[in-house]
Amino acid sequence: MKPVRQCSRTACTRAAVATLTYVYADSTAVLGPLAHLAEPHSYDLCVDHAERLTAPRGWEVVRLEPEFVESGPSPDDLSALADAVREAGRAPRRGEPDDVTEVGRRGHLRVLRADRG
């Protein structure tokens, strides 16, 4: 499944649908589809913030898509999730061997010791 990235605007918790980058040499802001990876010098925006974007005086805004739409999980994402759940249900559960003892725990990690003589 695709991870959901949030809008970069402060206090906005909506899902990002567009990525904003700047070309400082040309005084241009470029707003395009959501990038595959989050980059440190780009900003992910939700539908509302992408549609209301304005640039400083003297700058041009280039919109690579005329309209941004929030999209939910795709059918492929849902199928992959269903397959993963099915596979997890089929996996045999194995306990620790009789000669292994838990000697400590830190969060979700366990420290085990084998009592093999």
Side-chain angles (χ1 to χ4, degrees):
M1 280 181 26
K2 291 181 264 183
V4 176
R5 295 200 314 252
Q6 286 186 339
C7 182
S8 297
R9 297 291 303 259
T10 304
C12 184
T13 58
R14 296 187 63 192
V17 297
T19 297
L20 172 66
T21 56
Y22 295 102
V23 181
Y24 290 98
D26 297 333
S27 299
T28 304
V30 180
L31 186 64
L34 187 63
H36 291 286
L37 299 173
E39 296 290 331
H41 299 290
S42 64
Y43 302 90
D44 296 333
L45 300 175
C46 66
V47 172
D48 289 344
H49 288 118
E51 289 175 352
R52 294 191 322 223
L53 176 75
T54 59
R57 188 173 302 165
W59 282 60
E60 179 183 0
V61 176
V62 175
R63 295 176 187 271
L64 299 179
E65 285 190 14
E67 190 175 297
F68 296 100
V69 180
E70 248 182 278
S71 64
S74 72
D76 289 340
D77 291 338
L78 296 175
S79 294
L81 179 60
D83 291 342
V85 169
R86 235 180 268 116
E87 187 64 31
R90 271 189 244 151
R93 298 205 174 230
R94 297 183 307 209
E96 275 86 27
D98 293 333
D99 60 346
V100 173
T101 307
E102 181 177 326
V103 295
R105 182 177 284 267
R106 183 170 212 164
H108 68 282
L109 301 175
R110 300 183 313 153
V111 177
L112 303 175
R113 178 178 22 191
D115 299 326
R116 296 186 181 144

